Amino acid sequence: MLDRAAVDGSLRFRQVRDYSERLCEGLTSEDCNLQAVAETSPLKWHLAHTTWFFETFVLRPFKPDYRGFDDRFQVLFNSYYNGVGQQHPRPQRHLLSRPDLAEVLAYRHHVDQGMVSLLDQPAALKQPEIMARLTLGLNHEQQHQELMLTDLKYNFACNPLAPAYRSGSLPPARPAEGGFQSYQGGLVEIGQARGEGFGFDNERPRHRHWLEPFTLARALVTNGEFRAFIEDGGYRRPELWLSDGWSRVQQEDWRHPLYWQPDDTHPGQFTLYGNQPPDDHHPVCHLSYFEADAYARWLDARLPSEAEWEHACRQDQGDAAAARTPPALHPTGADTGAGLRDLFGQVWQWTASAYAAYPAYRTARGALGEYNGKFMCSQFVLRGSSCATPPGHSRASYRNFFYPESRWQFTGLRLARDATSADL
């Protein structure tokens, strides 16, 4: 008799794997091989790498009769796992015209068959480890599903034809209630606790953290609000910027968020629906940490710490994000009801917290220990989730992280301030 966890795992495996391929529906093989900059990857590579993950960390160790699809793929589709072996250089992934998309899909289906066979007859003594790696692999693939959308958007934006990934127009947004919500702070617990379901290792262990009283904006910063910053000379005022941020503004001639097109030739903004007129009530997105920080300084505010964000989220909504429909592919806001709006499903929200290990964090042994720990340097934490995040992949303890100059993700901000006696 099959174990219930194995049955559920097999169903979940099929659902997640199918969703990745649905994201490529309507695209050509040429679309799936684009890589405009080193930070993005071709969609074909994402499809293959997530397959490589299951083949490398589940099938090869736990299915003795498994036969690899093509041993050369062990190098081509290894991302950064030095403990496994060599990798093809990341900036050159677009040069992999072979294997073509059809062969990559055949590779996926070969590995899927092996995984389903393994899950239908798991090795009893090894089942806990198999299921743990399966769950990690599925969450890993969901991360890449979001990257598939954000990478494709950047790649399509480089095309003067402004191709649309999906047809349609963006819905208008309802103005969100403004103002700030106050929190007493004190000694709080941060991080994922036992029994809260899956979490990446960087979300643990749960630990105590002291917070001074603070306030958090109920709503995300909008396009209209950020436009006021631009019109007040925000990109021309060095006193608002961190030194590295000001250098980046000068070097790359930043004048507005990524994908905004304020000139008369292509008015509006580029989206996954092609060029669209901007809506002042939509949350602003595609901001770097530097831009988010400069905007907060302009308003005599600041970015929240990740501990403040998580504590406020748990106070307002508990641990889990509410179930929602498939992504709208652009942040449109706003949640209804009282309290904090749009904590999830709109934009990743920059925090002022450097990406570092929690107290008592220990990197896992082996190649899987390279998943998060070795990136805990020179990056900042973002909280929440975006319109490109797959349903079911959001939670209060989730720690996303990017370099401060990164703009191609759906990244925005929520303001924070120190609380005064009048706030409490």
Side-chain angles (χ1 to χ4, degrees):
M1 183 175 180
L2 294 180
D3 183 90
R4 183 65 199 175
V7 174
D8 292 343
S10 182
L11 175 61
R12 181 66 177 149
F13 178 80
R14 291 181 175 94
Q15 291 173 337
V16 172
R17 297 287 284 172
D18 287 348
Y19 184 66
S20 295
E21 294 185 25
R22 290 203 305 273
L23 290 176
C24 297
E25 291 178 354
L27 297 174
T28 67
S29 57
E30 290 85 358
D31 293 333
C32 293
N33 205 47
L34 294 171
Q35 182 186 24
V37 290
E39 288 76 17
T40 66
S41 293
L43 267 63
K44 183 178 71 175
W45 186 90
H46 287 293
L47 292 174
H49 167 69
T50 51
T51 303
W52 171 94
F53 190 96
F54 287 110
E55 181 180 58
T56 301
F57 294 117
V58 183
L59 289 179
R60 290 183 182 273
F62 298 111
K63 192 171 180 11
D65 62 344
Y66 175 73
R67 296 295 178 264
F69 184 85
D70 189 325
D71 289 343
R72 296 173 298 177
F73 289 5
Q74 287 293 291
V75 174
L76 289 185
F77 302 121
N78 180 2
S79 55
Y80 52 70
Y81 294 90
N82 296 310
V84 172
Q86 294 181 323
Q87 309 101 37
H88 183 78
R90 179 175 181 176
Q92 298 177 18
R93 290 171 182 169
H94 66 289
L95 299 177
L96 298 175
S97 61
R98 306 293 176 89
D100 61 16
L101 180 60
E103 189 172 2
V104 165
L105 291 174
Y107 175 43
R108 283 180 66 87
H109 299 161
H110 173 84
V111 168
D112 288 354
Q113 289 175 0
M115 286 293 299
V116 170
S117 173
L118 178 65
L119 294 172
D120 285 346
Q121 297 180 335
L125 295 178
K126 298 178 181 178
Q127 184 176 347
E129 182 62 22
I130 291 173
M131 299 310 296
R133 294 191 181 197
L134 170 70
T135 302
L136 177 62
L138 293 177
N139 280 271
H140 166 259
E141 182 141 355
Q142 287 184 304
Q143 289 181 314
H144 278 270
Q145 289 166 352
E146 180 160 0
L147 289 170
M148 289 170 71
L149 292 171
T150 54
D151 290 2
L152 182 70
K153 181 175 182 178
Y154 190 95
N155 295 331
F156 270 10
C158 296
N159 188 329
L161 298 179
Y165 170 66
R166 291 287 184 263
S167 60
S169 57
L170 301 178
R174 296 182 300 274
E177 177 187 358
F180 285 73
Q181 193 155 313
S182 301
Y183 298 89
Q184 293 282 350
L187 191 62
V188 302
E189 290 193 337
I190 299 298
Q192 190 184 61
R194 294 183 182 275
E196 287 187 341
F198 173 80
F200 291 109
D201 62 349
N202 65 357
E203 300 172 48
R204 301 186 296 269
R206 193 164 176 85
H207 58 283
R208 291 177 294 177
H209 188 97
W210 179 264
L211 293 177
E212 296 295 332
F214 67 98
T215 67
L216 201 61
R218 295 189 180 93
L220 300 168
V221 173
T222 65
N223 287 331
E225 291 168 332
F226 199 85
R227 182 175 289 107
F229 167 77
I230 297 172
E231 293 172 351
D232 194 45
Y235 283 92
R236 303 189 302 275
R237 296 172 56 180
E239 72 273 14
L240 298 175
W241 295 80
L242 295 168
S243 178
D244 286 351
W246 182 245
S247 295
R248 184 72 59 164
V249 169
Q250 301 300 299
Q251 292 167 7
E252 300 188 7
D253 195 27
W254 286 356
R255 300 182 185 182
H256 48 72
L258 184 64
Y259 302 128
W260 279 30
Q261 300 163 334
D263 59 274
D264 295 333
T265 305
H266 299 290
Q269 60 181 332
F270 182 77
T271 75
L272 286 167
Y273 300 91
N275 286 330
Q276 295 281 331
D279 186 320
D280 278 352
H281 297 304
H282 286 168
V284 65
C285 62
H286 299 297
L287 296 179
S288 67
Y289 172 87
F290 295 134
E291 290 164 294
D293 180 77
Y295 177 85
R297 291 170 189 263
W298 177 66
L299 287 177
D300 195 25
R302 59 176 175 82
L303 299 178
S305 69
E306 64 168 322
E308 288 173 332
W309 192 99
E310 183 176 330
H311 175 66
C313 177
R314 291 182 184 276
Q315 293 286 304
D316 192 84
Q317 294 191 9
D319 173 66
R324 60 184 181 87
T325 56
L329 305 185
H330 194 82
T332 57
D335 287 345
T336 58
L340 301 175
R341 305 289 186 90
D342 298 324
L343 286 166
F344 299 98
Q346 297 293 328
V347 294
W348 288 102
Q349 297 144 60
W350 285 107
T351 75
S353 298
Y355 180 48
Y358 282 159
Y361 170 83
R362 295 292 183 271
T363 302
R365 293 182 178 180
L368 283 173
E370 299 183 53
Y371 198 105
N372 282 310
K374 70 180 185 180
F375 299 109
M376 293 177 174
C377 179
S378 303
Q379 303 194 64
F380 283 85
V381 174
L382 301 97
R383 290 304 193 105
S385 61
S386 84
C387 57
T389 306
H393 194 68
S394 306
R395 53 189 172 271
S397 60
Y398 200 117
R399 305 176 78 199
N400 205 348
F401 52 93
F402 284 102
Y403 291 102
E405 67 274 13
S406 297
R407 309 171 90 200
W408 92 105
Q409 293 296 311
F410 287 97
T411 48
L413 76 151
R414 184 185 303 272
L415 296 174
R417 289 192 172 104
D418 299 335
T420 67
S421 57
D423 296 317
L424 302 174

